Amino acid sequence: MGLLALPTELLVAIFLFIPPPAIALCARISRRLRNVLLSPEFAALSLDILETPAVLSRISTTPSATARAWFTSHPVFQAVYADHILVHLDYLIWPYKDLRGHLPLALQSLTSLATLDLSYNQLSGPIPPDMSALIALEKLNLRSNHLTGNIPSSIGKLANLKFLVLGSNRICGTIPKELRYLRSLIGLNLSFNELTGEVPPELGELSNLEDLNLSANSLSGTIPQELAALSKLRCLSFFRNQLKGTVPIVLSRLPELYVVCMTANEDLDSGRIWEYAPTRLLAKVWLDAFGSSGLLFE
């Protein structure tokens, strides 16, 4: 009880040097500590102690110790860290950094980001539901983590997004139709997740799309003919799903398409696509629904 009776200024001085992830635990001791330790003011003071001042940069490729703690800290600290330290970044590129924790809701504060790359880490939990504030974002790469939950429909509001890479997670639910609004999108990789439902015909509206990889999910239904509108499509992979029906012949007429993989879809029939596919496509296509070989682009 002696500690809790100290003046607020002394409490702040004592707890300032405690790592941010532990602050939330300390705040459980009493209501007074909670009011002190979980305030934006305390978080800002803590940052002054923990984060070494650096020359203002638009790019970050190596997370500091405090940045690592960002993913496991209380939301108040996460918000203050984003607003004070990360808000000026155009490029946040932290792949292969063994980052652990959850994606902070405070990501929505990083409105200047053009690239957010947190691939090949150990992050878990859902993607924040509201990503619409990231209006400058051109590349979102969250590949190879342990993310769960659905793909937020708010991603469809990122008009400048060119690359959306969410492969090799545990994302579930259906592919949101709102992705149709990503008219700048060049690459879409949702492979190796737990997605269900049908391939949205609305993906055929992505007029700049070059790479579409929906492999290794649990997608069902037929391949929509609307994909034939993707005149710039180069690579198409539906490997290992539960698709059925006949592959639309019109897909063979896409002028830029040269890699297709649709193996391991037991009820999918290539139909007469071989008769119409040009030589450049025939040389690199595997459409045998029962075959074990095929090409899966990254």
Side-chain angles (χ1 to χ4, degrees):
M1 293 300 295
L3 177 65
L4 298 181
L6 292 174
T8 299
E9 293 78 5
L10 286 179
L11 284 177
V12 168
I14 291 171
F15 285 96
L16 270 181
F17 295 90
I18 294 179
I23 289 295
L25 296 176
C26 296
R28 297 178 183 177
I29 297 175
S30 74
R31 180 175 297 178
R32 184 183 177 216
L33 271 182
R34 177 180 177 83
N35 293 336
V36 172
L37 300 183
L38 299 185
S39 68
E41 293 78 14
F42 178 84
L45 287 172
S46 177
L47 277 180
D48 289 340
I49 299 295
L50 298 172
E51 190 78 358
T52 303
V55 178
L56 185 63
S57 175
R58 292 290 182 179
I59 181 171
S60 175
T61 57
T62 304
S64 65
T66 312
R68 291 178 173 277
W70 187 50
F71 297 95
T72 55
S73 299
H74 190 274
V76 171
F77 178 85
Q78 291 176 336
V80 172
Y81 187 79
D83 290 341
H84 285 68
I85 305 297
L86 303 178
V87 70
H88 302 293
L89 290 176
D90 293 335
Y91 303 93
L92 196 161
I93 305 173
W94 295 345
Y96 296 101
K97 303 300 182 184
D98 197 31
L99 300 173
R100 298 170 185 268
H102 297 255
L103 295 174
L105 294 176
L107 277 173
Q108 63 185 339
S109 299
L110 309 184
T111 56
S112 295
L113 276 185
T115 294
L116 174 59
D117 186 348
L118 298 174
S119 59
Y120 298 96
N121 283 293
Q122 305 294 324
L123 299 171
S124 57
I127 300 172
D130 188 2
M131 303 286 285
S132 59
L134 302 180
I135 55 176
L137 201 61
E138 296 182 359
K139 181 178 181 179
L140 176 60
N141 188 353
L142 302 176
R143 180 189 180 101
S144 295
N145 281 281
H146 305 294
L147 300 176
T148 55
N150 298 335
I151 300 173
S153 59
S154 62
I155 289 180
K157 297 180 179 180
L158 304 179
N160 293 307
L161 197 64
K162 296 180 179 178
F163 298 95
L164 176 58
V165 184
L166 305 178
S168 299
N169 283 285
R170 289 183 291 167
I171 299 170
C172 60
T174 59
I175 300 173
K177 295 179 180 179
E178 288 80 1
L179 296 187
R180 70 197 300 177
Y181 301 117
L182 300 177
R183 301 301 169 82
S184 299
L185 202 65
I186 296 174
L188 175 60
N189 186 339
L190 306 179
S191 63
F192 289 88
N193 278 292
E194 300 172 9
L195 296 170
T196 56
E198 299 186 349
V199 178
E202 290 81 2
L203 294 183
E205 300 177 27
L206 302 176
S207 56
N208 286 300
L209 197 65
E210 297 181 7
D211 295 339
L212 175 58
N213 189 346
L214 304 181
S215 299
N217 282 285
S218 296
L219 299 171
S220 57
T222 59
I223 297 174
Q225 295 209 21
E226 287 82 354
L227 297 185
L230 302 176
S231 60
K232 296 182 180 180
L233 197 65
R234 299 165 56 250
C235 302
L236 175 64
S237 182
F238 291 149
F239 163 79
R240 210 174 80 193
N241 277 284
Q242 299 170 18
L243 298 172
K244 61 183 181 180
T246 303
V247 178
I249 291 177
V250 289
L251 292 183
S252 69
R253 301 170 187 166
L254 289 171
E256 302 297 328
L257 188 64
Y258 71 94
V259 174
V260 176
C261 182
M262 298 187 186
T263 59
N265 286 278
E266 292 187 0
D267 296 321
L268 186 63
D269 181 8
S270 63
R272 301 178 62 195
I273 192 171
W274 292 105
E275 299 179 23
Y276 296 91
T279 304
R280 61 168 173 77
L281 184 57
L282 286 174
K284 299 185 179 182
V285 158
W286 287 262
L287 283 169
D288 180 4
F290 300 94
S292 59
S293 63
L295 180 60
L296 177 64
F297 66 91
E298 292 295 325

